[in-house]
DNA sequence: CATTATTTATAGCAGTCGATATATAAATTC
DNA sequence: GAATTTATATATCGACTGCTATAAATAATG
């Protein structure tokens, strides 16, 4: 049973991907409705009918990012054989992804809305929650490593997770500022020196 | 010889400091002229007569930041007895400053304008240049350490500088997201494990 | 005093923002 | 075919943006 009225003349998923690219490159505030309608080839009413609002469109684009480009980084926490190898792969994947122009350098979740007062509070909160969720994933993988004996029980799991998160998030800044892939891969390797040490 | 016309009824330096606070907390785009005139207690014409434009006011506020809060972090590169101690102090000072509410968590140069397309290109470029200048300072201090024998000549100075810059800049994100002072101090200590290792 | 110079407050400029009212076009259902 | 439903394009809406023209207020200068 086909839809009742006039069929939509654009591919919703393709439009969503283009919106993700725009938000990723320009951020939430700097991407205007006019930017979106131009790039997506839609009129404003079509965009609003399909996605609700700029904020809802951003949230959908964020989900798409997390399921595609973002996933390729954080899934290593679950697939690598050891915790050390997991973190190493996570950081090296970060270095590679953030320096591929796909379509923007750095992480959409870190860069697309500055964590500031005065902006869109809901969007900033959503991005912050996703960043913290990644830190918690890291923390849980490290805690598991302690339980399995890969790390000493004296390990300050929270601090170590924050350290690796600091490096992972800092790479977004370095990537946007033009750091090369080789440099960021070396950064990932340097970062691993903290493994097994007590601060 | 006093000024000729009607004297200005506000303290320019105090107004500048308040503007710095606002830009630091809310960023360049999210701080409107209305925000500034409200907080500084000025009418728009007074603000423009004293500072020229929003962009020029931001640049002055940025200079003030670099000379005050920013300086307290990076001056350790020149004052510490060894390069290792210099970097360690730099990172620990970062942890302490970014977690003091003075008036905002994290670094104004990293956070106050997202390095994005579509925003104020000149401002973004200015902030990027200042970040890169810090990386170069780090790099030169490490190169000096190689020359003095503190680091082995095989050291990849550029990559090591990028690594410490990554940690230093990443702390801005962690601080804005609520990381505690103790956690960031531990991050600074963990980061030093890379000293003297080859990636 | 009158003149000149500078700052002040009021009001509003043109432009952009996100979002929509209205009317037309294109499909299914009856 | 007529009626219904949905998508489209045009033309805005009110609110806000950075910024400024105008004129009143307050000082030194002559």
């Amino acid at each position: 049973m086909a839809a009742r009225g006039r069929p939509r003349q654009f591919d919703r998923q393709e439009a969503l991907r283009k919106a993700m690219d725009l938000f990723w490159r320009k951020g939430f505030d700097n991407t205007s409705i006019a930017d979106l309608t131009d790039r997506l080839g839609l009129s404003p009413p079509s965009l609003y009918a399909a996605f609700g609002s700029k904020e809802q469109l951003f949230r959908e684009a964020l989900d798409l990012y997390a399921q595609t480009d973002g996933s390729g980084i954080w899934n290593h926490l679950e697939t690598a054989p050891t915790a050390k190898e997991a973190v190493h792969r996570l950081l090296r994947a970060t270095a590679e992804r953030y320096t591929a122009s796909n379509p923007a350098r750095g992480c959409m979740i870190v860069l697309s809305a500055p964590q500031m007062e005065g902006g869109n509070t809901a969007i900033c909160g959503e991005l912050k929650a996703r960043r913290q969720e990644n830190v918690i994933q890291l923390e849980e993988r490290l805690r598991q490593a302690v339980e399995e004996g890969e790390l000493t029980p004296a390990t300050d799991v929270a601090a170590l997770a924050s350290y690796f998160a600091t490096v992972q998030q800092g790479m977004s800044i370095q990537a946007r500022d033009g750091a090369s892939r080789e440099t960021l891969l070396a950064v990932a390797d340097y970062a691993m020196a903290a493994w097994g040490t007590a601060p």
Side-chain angles (χ1 to χ4, degrees), chain A:
Chain A
M1 167 187 140
R4 196 60 189 296
R6 174 177 176 174
R8 108 171 2 129
Q9 294 180 330
F10 63 94
D11 186 314
R12 193 182 187 280
Q13 193 63 19
E14 183 186 344
L16 179 61
R17 195 185 48 74
K18 288 180 181 174
M20 180 191 80
D21 292 359
L22 264 186
F23 282 130
W24 192 353
R25 289 194 291 115
K26 308 185 65 172
F28 179 76
D29 286 326
N30 285 338
T31 303
S32 67
I33 299 294
D35 288 334
L36 290 163
T37 54
D38 282 356
R39 183 74 173 79
L40 276 59
L42 307 178
S43 61
S46 294
L47 187 148
Y48 278 86
F51 299 104
S53 69
K54 182 184 173 184
E55 179 176 331
Q56 289 178 37
L57 173 56
F58 180 83
R59 289 178 182 276
E60 277 202 56
L62 197 59
D63 281 334
L64 179 60
Y65 173 82
Q67 291 163 12
T68 55
D69 291 85
S71 168
I73 291 176
W74 292 92
N75 60 359
H76 291 294
L77 280 185
E78 300 164 357
T79 58
T82 64
K84 182 176 183 180
E85 183 66 20
V87 173
H88 200 178
R89 287 184 192 177
L90 161 63
L91 293 180
R92 289 186 65 91
T94 297
E96 288 182 352
R97 298 255 172 170
Y98 288 6
T99 54
S101 300
N102 53 193
R105 288 179 151 244
C107 176
M108 180 179 178
I109 296 174
V110 170
L111 296 171
S112 65
Q115 49 278 45
M116 291 284 170
E117 305 174 31
N120 186 315
T121 308
I123 293 292
C124 286
E126 170 76 20
L127 292 171
K128 176 177 174 179
R130 286 180 187 252
R131 288 190 297 270
Q132 291 179 327
E133 192 178 341
N134 286 336
V135 179
I136 289 176
Q137 281 182 38
L138 251 171
E139 206 170 318
E140 287 177 349
R141 187 64 188 86
L142 296 180
R143 185 165 292 116
Q144 180 188 339
V146 170
E147 290 171 0
E148 294 173 349
E150 188 183 345
L151 282 172
T152 165
T155 306
D156 185 345
V157 167
L160 191 58
S162 180
Y163 162 73
F164 287 122
T166 299
V167 174
Q168 204 272 336
Q169 293 167 352
M171 281 200 218
S172 279
I173 312 292
Q174 286 288 299
R176 275 288 161 101
D177 282 351
S180 72
R181 172 170 296 186
E182 294 71 27
T183 295
L184 287 193
L185 284 171
V187 167
D189 294 341
Y190 273 126
M192 292 307 296
W195 193 270
T197 68

